[in-house]
Amino acid sequence: MNTVAEAPPPPERSEQDIIRALQETVSASRLFLFLQCRLKFYYRYVLKLQKPKTTSLHLGSAVHAVLKAWNKARWLQQPLTLKEVHATYLNAWADTTEGPVSWEPGEEETDKTTGWRLCDTYLREHHVPAEIKPDAVEVSIEADLREHGLPRLIGILDLVQQGHIIDYKTTSSTPHAEKVAHSTEIQTSSYAVLYRHNTGRNETGVQLHHLVKLKNPKVVITPLPAMTAAQQTRLFRQMEAYLEGLQRRDFIPSPGMHCASCEYFNECRLWH
């Protein structure tokens, strides 16, 4: 009997190889995490320590899946019915490919209802007119920034509508416009660079659509102007700090209020 030998598993990449790959590309989320806490970045992207998916992340993913499907249907000019939207939500909620979620007793059904109410509220209030065809939906793009001595910037744009870059977020509290503009600048500037690099024109602006998980769900839209030259300079300097930090293997902790919800808290306490 002839037997087919199984191919040997691919060799594990060394830490040096992983870091070298991280220096070649950067995303807004990766850059934000590196600047927030370099040790957390190390645990997630270099050591790749796996942690259970949080309940809030699971809810946000399910809501995002619905909005993605709804926008893609608009782009195809085949709008979904409410029944189809609900079925999409149920399928997304049941999806555990990113790992299981540890629910407290009764928590899953409560969160499941909350997530659907967010979707229903958003679509009923017509924050993005169903009849207007999007420019792009959930598109993966990149920008080659070698001329600036920087790595390739990569990202996914949730929605582009009439020149506006729209990003969806779920949150448990009503956002403050000025604070949101500041705290999301890495992300919004990254999206602007990606948009300009791939279209050859400036974005009309950016809109952050927050779906707020209150007893009576609501949607808060924060409109932001097009990226300024100063904002692009700040982003590029932050990317330079990212490159330099990786080059130095500068993976130190940054203790602060964000530690309370960090999945690597126990590992961080043992750092030396």
Side-chain angles (χ1 to χ4, degrees), residues 192 196 202-206 224-229 231:
R196 295 178 186 188
N202 288 4
E203 70 285 0
T204 306
V206 178
L224 302 173
M227 178 183 66
T228 65
Q231 287 175 316

Side-chain angles (χ1 to χ4, degrees), residues 95-112:
D95 185 358
T96 57
T97 54
E98 294 183 8
V101 182
S102 297
W103 303 98
E104 297 294 332
E107 184 182 22
E108 181 175 4
E109 283 305 310
T110 299
D111 280 3
K112 185 177 180 181

Side-chain angles (χ1 to χ4, degrees), residues 144-161:
D144 188 340
L145 302 177
R146 282 179 296 180
E147 64 178 300
H148 302 285
L150 299 171
R152 286 199 327 276
L153 179 63
I154 59 175
I156 300 176
L157 302 186
D158 284 353
L159 174 66
V160 181
Q161 185 90 42

Side-chain angles (χ1 to χ4, degrees), residues 18-38 41-42 45-46 149-154 186 234-251:
I18 292 172
I19 292 175
R20 186 180 298 115
L22 289 169
Q23 289 175 298
E24 294 174 357
T25 63
V26 65
S27 64
S29 57
R30 203 190 302 165
L31 178 58
F32 179 84
L33 180 57
F34 184 83
L35 296 173
Q36 180 191 63
C37 180
R38 299 181 182 196
F41 176 95
Y42 177 74
Y45 291 109
V46 181
L150 299 171
R152 286 199 327 276
L153 179 63
I154 59 175
I186 287 176
R234 281 200 292 270
L235 176 65
F236 285 1
R237 292 189 64 184
Q238 288 164 328
M239 292 175 71
E240 288 171 356
Y242 169 87
L243 283 180
E244 293 167 2
L246 288 178
Q247 183 66 34
R248 296 196 307 267
R249 308 298 195 266
D250 184 4
F251 302 120

Side-chain angles (χ1 to χ4, degrees), residues 43 102 147 182 184 191 236 267:
Y43 288 146
S102 297
E147 64 178 300
H182 178 73
T184 63
Y191 287 172
F236 285 1
E267 289 85 354

Side-chain angles (χ1 to χ4, degrees), residues 211-233:
L211 287 72
V212 190
K213 298 178 285 186
L214 300 175
K215 184 176 181 180
N216 294 311
K218 66 178 180 178
V219 177
V220 177
I221 297 179
T222 304
L224 302 173
M227 178 183 66
T228 65
Q231 287 175 316
Q232 178 173 286
T233 297

Side-chain angles (χ1 to χ4, degrees), residues 81-144:
T81 64
L82 187 61
K83 183 178 180 180
E84 289 172 325
V85 171
H86 190 245
T88 299
Y89 178 74
L90 293 179
N91 288 335
W93 190 268
D95 185 358
T96 57
T97 54
E98 294 183 8
V101 182
S102 297
W103 303 98
E104 297 294 332
E107 184 182 22
E108 181 175 4
E109 283 305 310
T110 299
D111 280 3
K112 185 177 180 181
T113 300
T114 298
W116 171 245
R117 290 180 68 204
L118 288 175
C119 296
D120 185 51
T121 299
Y122 187 87
L123 299 183
R124 278 191 299 102
E125 294 180 0
H126 303 294
H127 290 287
V128 179
E131 65 275 9
I132 299 179
K133 184 177 179 179
D135 302 338
V137 178
E138 200 79 10
V139 58
S140 298
I141 52 179
E142 63 179 55
D144 188 340

